[in-house]
Amino acid sequence: GASGRDVVALCELATKDLPAPSFRPTKPAELPPREGEILVLGASGFVGRHLVRRLRRAGHPLRVMVRKPGLLPEHLRDPEIRVLPGELSDRAALRAAVAG
């Protein structure tokens, strides 16, 4: 666990001075509900990336919540995927993500 935490800290340090991304996350207020929409938490992680690809191929509307939307892999920058910034420890972000 400590090694993993150190790796994450190193990655955050290495990316802290990157230019602001041109990608703009979706604001929760801009999210009218879509029939059958699925929220994926951890979409930029190893399992989440594969899950998102499979759900998109199956035609499901998606929203994802990630800590750093500006660092999303290109395949998650699909205009049909609603990207919400937030962390699991942030109750307000979670409420906004599941609203609708």
Side-chain angles (χ1 to χ4, degrees):
S3 295
R5 184 183 60 239
D6 291 345
V7 168
V8 170
L10 181 61
C11 290
E12 288 177 348
L13 180 64
T15 60
K16 74 178 177 85
D17 293 325
L18 290 176
S22 59
F23 180 76
R24 186 181 70 83
T26 306
K27 293 180 181 172
E30 300 171 351
L31 297 176
R34 296 186 291 186
E35 184 69 32
E37 187 168 50
I38 297 170
L39 169 65
V40 178
L41 302 173
S44 59
F46 179 77
V47 173
R49 290 177 187 192
H50 294 285
L51 177 61
V52 166
R53 283 187 184 128
R54 290 188 120 187
L55 291 170
R56 285 298 299 140
R57 271 185 269 165
H60 295 285
L62 298 179
R63 67 172 74 178
V64 300
M65 188 174 83
V66 296
R67 285 182 289 145
K68 296 184 178 187
L71 300 178
L72 282 180
E74 199 62 38
H75 71 276
L76 289 179
R77 295 179 186 221
D78 180 332
E80 293 298 314
I81 298 174
R82 295 172 170 178
V83 178
L84 302 169
E87 296 189 26
L88 293 176
S89 61
D90 181 343
R91 287 181 181 209
L94 279 173
R95 281 189 193 105
V98 300

PDB file of all heavy atoms in Angstrom, residues 6-38:
ATOM      1  N   ASP A   6       3.111   6.027  -2.798  1.00  0.00           N
ATOM      2  CA  ASP A   6       4.283   6.768  -3.252  1.00  0.00           C
ATOM      3  C   ASP A   6       4.270   6.956  -4.765  1.00  0.00           C
ATOM      4  O   ASP A   6       4.641   8.021  -5.270  1.00  0.00           O
ATOM      5  CB  ASP A   6       5.567   6.045  -2.831  1.00  0.00           C
ATOM      6  CG  ASP A   6       5.788   6.079  -1.319  1.00  0.00           C
ATOM      7  OD1 ASP A   6       5.118   6.886  -0.629  1.00  0.00           O
ATOM      8  OD2 ASP A   6       6.610   5.277  -0.833  1.00  0.00           O
ATOM      9  N   VAL A   7       3.833   5.945  -5.492  1.00  0.00           N
ATOM     10  CA  VAL A   7       3.754   6.049  -6.953  1.00  0.00           C
ATOM     11  C   VAL A   7       2.737   7.117  -7.347  1.00  0.00           C
ATOM     12  O   VAL A   7       2.998   7.956  -8.214  1.00  0.00           O
ATOM     13  CB  VAL A   7       3.398   4.684  -7.595  1.00  0.00           C
ATOM     14  CG1 VAL A   7       3.033   4.851  -9.056  1.00  0.00           C
ATOM     15  CG2 VAL A   7       4.550   3.712  -7.439  1.00  0.00           C
ATOM     16  N   VAL A   8       1.568   7.108  -6.714  1.00  0.00           N
ATOM     17  CA  VAL A   8       0.543   8.110  -7.011  1.00  0.00           C
ATOM     18  C   VAL A   8       1.063   9.506  -6.695  1.00  0.00           C
ATOM     19  O   VAL A   8       0.891  10.445  -7.487  1.00  0.00           O
ATOM     20  CB  VAL A   8      -0.760   7.816  -6.237  1.00  0.00           C
ATOM     21  CG1 VAL A   8      -1.731   8.980  -6.340  1.00  0.00           C
ATOM     22  CG2 VAL A   8      -1.400   6.539  -6.746  1.00  0.00           C
ATOM     23  N   ALA A   9       1.727   9.665  -5.555  1.00  0.00           N
ATOM     24  CA  ALA A   9       2.286  10.973  -5.185  1.00  0.00           C
ATOM     25  C   ALA A   9       3.313  11.440  -6.216  1.00  0.00           C
ATOM     26  O   ALA A   9       3.331  12.619  -6.602  1.00  0.00           O
ATOM     27  CB  ALA A   9       2.911  10.907  -3.797  1.00  0.00           C
ATOM     28  N   LEU A  10       4.143  10.530  -6.688  1.00  0.00           N
ATOM     29  CA  LEU A  10       5.138  10.872  -7.699  1.00  0.00           C
ATOM     30  C   LEU A  10       4.469  11.287  -9.005  1.00  0.00           C
ATOM     31  O   LEU A  10       4.864  12.278  -9.634  1.00  0.00           O
ATOM     32  CB  LEU A  10       6.085   9.688  -7.932  1.00  0.00           C
ATOM     33  CG  LEU A  10       7.204   9.910  -8.947  1.00  0.00           C
ATOM     34  CD1 LEU A  10       8.115  11.057  -8.501  1.00  0.00           C
ATOM     35  CD2 LEU A  10       8.006   8.641  -9.130  1.00  0.00           C
ATOM     36  N   CYS A  11       3.440  10.563  -9.409  1.00  0.00           N
ATOM     37  CA  CYS A  11       2.716  10.907 -10.637  1.00  0.00           C
ATOM     38  C   CYS A  11       2.050  12.275 -10.523  1.00  0.00           C
ATOM     39  O   CYS A  11       2.078  13.069 -11.465  1.00  0.00           O
ATOM     40  CB  CYS A  11       1.664   9.848 -10.955  1.00  0.00           C
ATOM     41  SG  CYS A  11       2.365   8.273 -11.465  1.00  0.00           S
ATOM     42  N   GLU A  12       1.453  12.549  -9.366  1.00  0.00           N
ATOM     43  CA  GLU A  12       0.826  13.850  -9.169  1.00  0.00           C
ATOM     44  C   GLU A  12       1.869  14.964  -9.192  1.00  0.00           C
ATOM     45  O   GLU A  12       1.641  16.022  -9.779  1.00  0.00           O
ATOM     46  CB  GLU A  12       0.032  13.862  -7.868  1.00  0.00           C
ATOM     47  CG  GLU A  12      -1.229  13.031  -7.977  1.00  0.00           C
ATOM     48  CD  GLU A  12      -2.025  12.949  -6.693  1.00  0.00           C
ATOM     49  OE1 GLU A  12      -1.507  13.351  -5.618  1.00  0.00           O
ATOM     50  OE2 GLU A  12      -3.169  12.478  -6.770  1.00  0.00           O
ATOM     51  N   LEU A  13       3.013  14.749  -8.601  1.00  0.00           N
ATOM     52  CA  LEU A  13       4.086  15.734  -8.611  1.00  0.00           C
ATOM     53  C   LEU A  13       4.583  15.968 -10.046  1.00  0.00           C
ATOM     54  O   LEU A  13       4.793  17.105 -10.461  1.00  0.00           O
ATOM     55  CB  LEU A  13       5.235  15.256  -7.716  1.00  0.00           C
ATOM     56  CG  LEU A  13       6.434  16.192  -7.618  1.00  0.00           C
ATOM     57  CD1 LEU A  13       6.024  17.503  -6.952  1.00  0.00           C
ATOM     58  CD2 LEU A  13       7.551  15.529  -6.818  1.00  0.00           C
ATOM     59  N   ALA A  14       4.724  14.897 -10.804  1.00  0.00           N
ATOM     60  CA  ALA A  14       5.235  15.006 -12.170  1.00  0.00           C
ATOM     61  C   ALA A  14       4.261  15.720 -13.108  1.00  0.00           C
ATOM     62  O   ALA A  14       4.678  16.302 -14.107  1.00  0.00           O
ATOM     63  CB  ALA A  14       5.543  13.606 -12.720  1.00  0.00           C
ATOM     64  N   THR A  15       2.971  15.719 -12.784  1.00  0.00           N
ATOM     65  CA  THR A  15       1.980  16.310 -13.692  1.00  0.00           C
ATOM     66  C   THR A  15       1.418  17.628 -13.191  1.00  0.00           C
ATOM     67  O   THR A  15       0.610  18.247 -13.879  1.00  0.00           O
ATOM     68  CB  THR A  15       0.819  15.328 -13.919  1.00  0.00           C
ATOM     69  OG1 THR A  15       0.201  15.024 -12.668  1.00  0.00           O
ATOM     70  CG2 THR A  15       1.289  14.059 -14.599  1.00  0.00           C
ATOM     71  N   LYS A  16       1.847  18.113 -12.043  1.00  0.00           N
ATOM     72  CA  LYS A  16       1.223  19.293 -11.448  1.00  0.00           C
ATOM     73  C   LYS A  16       1.424  20.563 -12.274  1.00  0.00           C
ATOM     74  O   LYS A  16       0.596  21.457 -12.237  1.00  0.00           O
ATOM     75  CB  LYS A  16       1.699  19.501 -10.015  1.00  0.00           C
ATOM     76  CG  LYS A  16       3.104  20.023  -9.872  1.00  0.00           C
ATOM     77  CD  LYS A  16       3.456  20.233  -8.406  1.00  0.00           C
ATOM     78  CE  LYS A  16       4.870  20.681  -8.264  1.00  0.00           C
ATOM     79  NZ  LYS A  16       5.093  22.073  -8.406  1.00  0.00           N
ATOM     80  N   ASP A  17       2.489  20.665 -13.047  1.00  0.00           N
ATOM     81  CA  ASP A  17       2.759  21.872 -13.820  1.00  0.00           C
ATOM     82  C   ASP A  17       2.396  21.748 -15.300  1.00  0.00           C
ATOM     83  O   ASP A  17       2.793  22.584 -16.100  1.00  0.00           O
ATOM     84  CB  ASP A  17       4.232  22.255 -13.687  1.00  0.00           C
ATOM     85  CG  ASP A  17       4.577  22.687 -12.267  1.00  0.00           C
ATOM     86  OD1 ASP A  17       3.715  23.319 -11.616  1.00  0.00           O
ATOM     87  OD2 ASP A  17       5.690  22.380 -11.802  1.00  0.00           O
ATOM     88  N   LEU A  18       1.639  20.725 -15.640  1.00  0.00           N
ATOM     89  CA  LEU A  18       1.211  20.580 -17.031  1.00  0.00           C
ATOM     90  C   LEU A  18       0.260  21.714 -17.393  1.00  0.00           C
ATOM     91  O   LEU A  18      -0.470  22.217 -16.538  1.00  0.00           O
ATOM     92  CB  LEU A  18       0.508  19.236 -17.240  1.00  0.00           C
ATOM     93  CG  LEU A  18       1.387  17.995 -17.176  1.00  0.00           C
ATOM     94  CD1 LEU A  18       0.532  16.736 -17.303  1.00  0.00           C
ATOM     95  CD2 LEU A  18       2.426  18.025 -18.273  1.00  0.00           C
ATOM     96  N   PRO A  19       0.228  22.118 -18.658  1.00  0.00           N
ATOM     97  CA  PRO A  19      -0.701  23.180 -19.052  1.00  0.00           C
ATOM     98  C   PRO A  19      -2.143  22.731 -18.854  1.00  0.00           C
ATOM     99  O   PRO A  19      -2.443  21.536 -18.862  1.00  0.00           O
ATOM    100  CB  PRO A  19      -0.389  23.401 -20.537  1.00  0.00           C
ATOM    101  CG  PRO A  19       0.373  22.205 -20.978  1.00  0.00           C
ATOM    102  CD  PRO A  19       1.015  21.620 -19.767  1.00  0.00           C
ATOM    103  N   ALA A  20      -3.018  23.692 -18.678  1.00  0.00           N
ATOM    104  CA  ALA A  20      -4.438  23.383 -18.499  1.00  0.00           C
ATOM    105  C   ALA A  20      -4.955  22.628 -19.715  1.00  0.00           C
ATOM    106  O   ALA A  20      -4.626  22.967 -20.848  1.00  0.00           O
ATOM    107  CB  ALA A  20      -5.223  24.665 -18.302  1.00  0.00           C
ATOM    108  N   PRO A  21      -5.748  21.607 -19.506  1.00  0.00           N
ATOM    109  CA  PRO A  21      -6.250  20.822 -20.629  1.00  0.00           C
ATOM    110  C   PRO A  21      -7.288  21.599 -21.428  1.00  0.00           C
ATOM    111  O   PRO A  21      -7.986  22.456 -20.896  1.00  0.00           O
ATOM    112  CB  PRO A  21      -6.896  19.610 -19.945  1.00  0.00           C
ATOM    113  CG  PRO A  21      -7.276  20.116 -18.595  1.00  0.00           C
ATOM    114  CD  PRO A  21      -6.222  21.116 -18.229  1.00  0.00           C
ATOM    115  N   SER A  22      -7.388  21.276 -22.708  1.00  0.00           N
ATOM    116  CA  SER A  22      -8.419  21.900 -23.531  1.00  0.00           C
ATOM    117  C   SER A  22      -9.751  21.177 -23.333  1.00  0.00           C
ATOM    118  O   SER A  22     -10.792  21.679 -23.717  1.00  0.00           O
ATOM    119  CB  SER A  22      -8.012  21.859 -25.007  1.00  0.00           C
ATOM    120  OG  SER A  22      -7.825  20.519 -25.411  1.00  0.00           O
ATOM    121  N   PHE A  23      -9.702  20.020 -22.735  1.00  0.00           N
ATOM    122  CA  PHE A  23     -10.902  19.234 -22.478  1.00  0.00           C
ATOM    123  C   PHE A  23     -11.652  19.823 -21.293  1.00  0.00           C
ATOM    124  O   PHE A  23     -11.076  20.097 -20.254  1.00  0.00           O
ATOM    125  CB  PHE A  23     -10.509  17.781 -22.182  1.00  0.00           C
ATOM    126  CG  PHE A  23     -11.685  16.897 -21.906  1.00  0.00           C
ATOM    127  CD1 PHE A  23     -12.473  16.458 -22.948  1.00  0.00           C
ATOM    128  CD2 PHE A  23     -12.003  16.528 -20.627  1.00  0.00           C
ATOM    129  CE1 PHE A  23     -13.559  15.651 -22.706  1.00  0.00           C
ATOM    130  CE2 PHE A  23     -13.085  15.719 -20.369  1.00  0.00           C
ATOM    131  CZ  PHE A  23     -13.867  15.283 -21.417  1.00  0.00           C
ATOM    132  N   ARG A  24     -12.944  20.056 -21.450  1.00  0.00           N
ATOM    133  CA  ARG A  24     -13.746  20.645 -20.385  1.00  0.00           C
ATOM    134  C   ARG A  24     -14.689  19.597 -19.822  1.00  0.00           C
ATOM    135  O   ARG A  24     -15.517  19.058 -20.544  1.00  0.00           O
ATOM    136  CB  ARG A  24     -14.558  21.817 -20.934  1.00  0.00           C
ATOM    137  CG  ARG A  24     -15.311  22.591 -19.875  1.00  0.00           C
ATOM    138  CD  ARG A  24     -16.103  23.721 -20.485  1.00  0.00           C
ATOM    139  NE  ARG A  24     -17.220  23.266 -21.265  1.00  0.00           N
ATOM    140  CZ  ARG A  24     -18.415  22.930 -20.779  1.00  0.00           C
ATOM    141  NH1 ARG A  24     -18.638  22.961 -19.499  1.00  0.00           N
ATOM    142  NH2 ARG A  24     -19.379  22.537 -21.580  1.00  0.00           N
ATOM    143  N   PRO A  25     -14.584  19.304 -18.521  1.00  0.00           N
ATOM    144  CA  PRO A  25     -15.513  18.337 -17.935  1.00  0.00           C
ATOM    145  C   PRO A  25     -16.932  18.879 -17.919  1.00  0.00           C
ATOM    146  O   PRO A  25     -17.150  20.082 -18.010  1.00  0.00           O
ATOM    147  CB  PRO A  25     -14.982  18.132 -16.512  1.00  0.00           C
ATOM    148  CG  PRO A  25     -14.125  19.301 -16.232  1.00  0.00           C
ATOM    149  CD  PRO A  25     -13.634  19.815 -17.548  1.00  0.00           C
ATOM    150  N   THR A  26     -17.880  17.980 -17.808  1.00  0.00           N
ATOM    151  CA  THR A  26     -19.283  18.349 -17.749  1.00  0.00           C
ATOM    152  C   THR A  26     -19.614  18.850 -16.353  1.00  0.00           C
ATOM    153  O   THR A  26     -19.174  18.290 -15.363  1.00  0.00           O
ATOM    154  CB  THR A  26     -20.154  17.112 -18.064  1.00  0.00           C
ATOM    155  OG1 THR A  26     -19.722  16.566 -19.305  1.00  0.00           O
ATOM    156  CG2 THR A  26     -21.614  17.470 -18.153  1.00  0.00           C
ATOM    157  N   LYS A  27     -20.406  19.909 -16.284  1.00  0.00           N
ATOM    158  CA  LYS A  27     -20.881  20.384 -14.983  1.00  0.00           C
ATOM    159  C   LYS A  27     -22.152  19.624 -14.645  1.00  0.00           C
ATOM    160  O   LYS A  27     -23.000  19.424 -15.516  1.00  0.00           O
ATOM    161  CB  LYS A  27     -21.151  21.883 -15.033  1.00  0.00           C
ATOM    162  CG  LYS A  27     -19.896  22.698 -15.222  1.00  0.00           C
ATOM    163  CD  LYS A  27     -20.201  24.164 -15.262  1.00  0.00           C
ATOM    164  CE  LYS A  27     -18.913  24.942 -15.490  1.00  0.00           C
ATOM    165  NZ  LYS A  27     -19.170  26.344 -15.727  1.00  0.00           N
ATOM    166  N   PRO A  28     -22.301  19.173 -13.402  1.00  0.00           N
ATOM    167  CA  PRO A  28     -23.491  18.399 -13.036  1.00  0.00           C
ATOM    168  C   PRO A  28     -24.796  19.079 -13.421  1.00  0.00           C
ATOM    169  O   PRO A  28     -25.748  18.428 -13.825  1.00  0.00           O
ATOM    170  CB  PRO A  28     -23.362  18.248 -11.518  1.00  0.00           C
ATOM    171  CG  PRO A  28     -21.901  18.305 -11.275  1.00  0.00           C
ATOM    172  CD  PRO A  28     -21.372  19.289 -12.289  1.00  0.00           C
ATOM    173  N   ALA A  29     -24.863  20.413 -13.361  1.00  0.00           N
ATOM    174  CA  ALA A  29     -26.088  21.121 -13.709  1.00  0.00           C
ATOM    175  C   ALA A  29     -26.433  20.978 -15.194  1.00  0.00           C
ATOM    176  O   ALA A  29     -27.558  21.221 -15.603  1.00  0.00           O
ATOM    177  CB  ALA A  29     -25.955  22.593 -13.339  1.00  0.00           C
ATOM    178  N   GLU A  30     -25.458  20.583 -16.011  1.00  0.00           N
ATOM    179  CA  GLU A  30     -25.666  20.429 -17.454  1.00  0.00           C
ATOM    180  C   GLU A  30     -26.125  19.011 -17.820  1.00  0.00           C
ATOM    181  O   GLU A  30     -26.120  18.650 -18.982  1.00  0.00           O
ATOM    182  CB  GLU A  30     -24.360  20.720 -18.208  1.00  0.00           C
ATOM    183  CG  GLU A  30     -23.812  22.110 -17.994  1.00  0.00           C
ATOM    184  CD  GLU A  30     -22.419  22.278 -18.571  1.00  0.00           C
ATOM    185  OE1 GLU A  30     -21.798  21.274 -18.983  1.00  0.00           O
ATOM    186  OE2 GLU A  30     -21.942  23.415 -18.613  1.00  0.00           O
ATOM    187  N   LEU A  31     -26.519  18.221 -16.838  1.00  0.00           N
ATOM    188  CA  LEU A  31     -26.795  16.817 -17.081  1.00  0.00           C
ATOM    189  C   LEU A  31     -28.276  16.456 -17.012  1.00  0.00           C
ATOM    190  O   LEU A  31     -28.724  15.902 -16.021  1.00  0.00           O
ATOM    191  CB  LEU A  31     -26.043  15.953 -16.069  1.00  0.00           C
ATOM    192  CG  LEU A  31     -24.535  16.004 -16.110  1.00  0.00           C
ATOM    193  CD1 LEU A  31     -23.952  15.166 -14.989  1.00  0.00           C
ATOM    194  CD2 LEU A  31     -24.012  15.536 -17.439  1.00  0.00           C
ATOM    195  N   PRO A  32     -29.031  16.729 -18.054  1.00  0.00           N
ATOM    196  CA  PRO A  32     -30.389  16.181 -18.026  1.00  0.00           C
ATOM    197  C   PRO A  32     -30.271  14.659 -18.089  1.00  0.00           C
ATOM    198  O   PRO A  32     -29.387  14.127 -18.763  1.00  0.00           O
ATOM    199  CB  PRO A  32     -31.043  16.751 -19.275  1.00  0.00           C
ATOM    200  CG  PRO A  32     -29.925  17.130 -20.176  1.00  0.00           C
ATOM    201  CD  PRO A  32     -28.741  17.435 -19.283  1.00  0.00           C
ATOM    202  N   PRO A  33     -31.122  13.957 -17.364  1.00  0.00           N
ATOM    203  CA  PRO A  33     -31.015  12.497 -17.344  1.00  0.00           C
ATOM    204  C   PRO A  33     -31.178  11.885 -18.744  1.00  0.00           C
ATOM    205  O   PRO A  33     -31.948  12.378 -19.549  1.00  0.00           O
ATOM    206  CB  PRO A  33     -32.168  12.056 -16.439  1.00  0.00           C
ATOM    207  CG  PRO A  33     -32.616  13.275 -15.733  1.00  0.00           C
ATOM    208  CD  PRO A  33     -32.205  14.455 -16.551  1.00  0.00           C
ATOM    209  N   ARG A  34     -30.430  10.839 -18.985  1.00  0.00           N
ATOM    210  CA  ARG A  34     -30.575  10.063 -20.223  1.00  0.00           C
ATOM    211  C   ARG A  34     -31.037   8.669 -19.825  1.00  0.00           C
ATOM    212  O   ARG A  34     -30.538   8.097 -18.855  1.00  0.00           O
ATOM    213  CB  ARG A  34     -29.245   9.968 -20.977  1.00  0.00           C
ATOM    214  CG  ARG A  34     -28.728  11.314 -21.458  1.00  0.00           C
ATOM    215  CD  ARG A  34     -27.491  11.190 -22.311  1.00  0.00           C
ATOM    216  NE  ARG A  34     -26.344  10.744 -21.524  1.00  0.00           N
ATOM    217  CZ  ARG A  34     -25.107  10.658 -22.005  1.00  0.00           C
ATOM    218  NH1 ARG A  34     -24.846  10.974 -23.251  1.00  0.00           N
ATOM    219  NH2 ARG A  34     -24.124  10.232 -21.239  1.00  0.00           N
ATOM    220  N   GLU A  35     -31.954   8.142 -20.562  1.00  0.00           N
ATOM    221  CA  GLU A  35     -32.502   6.806 -20.283  1.00  0.00           C
ATOM    222  C   GLU A  35     -31.384   5.773 -20.258  1.00  0.00           C
ATOM    223  O   GLU A  35     -30.590   5.670 -21.190  1.00  0.00           O
ATOM    224  CB  GLU A  35     -33.529   6.433 -21.351  1.00  0.00           C
ATOM    225  CG  GLU A  35     -34.229   5.124 -21.109  1.00  0.00           C
ATOM    226  CD  GLU A  35     -35.173   5.178 -19.912  1.00  0.00           C
ATOM    227  OE1 GLU A  35     -35.745   6.228 -19.638  1.00  0.00           O
ATOM    228  OE2 GLU A  35     -35.317   4.133 -19.266  1.00  0.00           O
ATOM    229  N   GLY A  36     -31.300   5.025 -19.163  1.00  0.00           N
ATOM    230  CA  GLY A  36     -30.329   3.938 -19.058  1.00  0.00           C
ATOM    231  C   GLY A  36     -28.894   4.367 -18.849  1.00  0.00           C
ATOM    232  O   GLY A  36     -27.976   3.552 -18.975  1.00  0.00           O
ATOM    233  N   GLU A  37     -28.667   5.631 -18.503  1.00  0.00           N
ATOM    234  CA  GLU A  37     -27.296   6.112 -18.323  1.00  0.00           C
ATOM    235  C   GLU A  37     -26.627   5.400 -17.147  1.00  0.00           C
ATOM    236  O   GLU A  37     -27.236   5.173 -16.109  1.00  0.00           O
ATOM    237  CB  GLU A  37     -27.299   7.622 -18.078  1.00  0.00           C
ATOM    238  CG  GLU A  37     -25.911   8.221 -18.050  1.00  0.00           C
ATOM    239  CD  GLU A  37     -25.963   9.737 -18.091  1.00  0.00           C
ATOM    240  OE1 GLU A  37     -26.711  10.325 -17.287  1.00  0.00           O
ATOM    241  OE2 GLU A  37     -25.267  10.310 -18.927  1.00  0.00           O
ATOM    242  N   ILE A  38     -25.348   5.052 -17.337  1.00  0.00           N
ATOM    243  CA  ILE A  38     -24.579   4.323 -16.333  1.00  0.00           C
ATOM    244  C   ILE A  38     -23.444   5.217 -15.846  1.00  0.00           C
ATOM    245  O   ILE A  38     -22.730   5.818 -16.648  1.00  0.00           O
ATOM    246  CB  ILE A  38     -24.005   3.021 -16.929  1.00  0.00           C
ATOM    247  CG1 ILE A  38     -25.144   2.099 -17.357  1.00  0.00           C
ATOM    248  CG2 ILE A  38     -23.068   2.327 -15.939  1.00  0.00           C
ATOM    249  CD1 ILE A  38     -24.696   0.899 -18.166  1.00  0.00           C
TER     250      ILE A  38
END
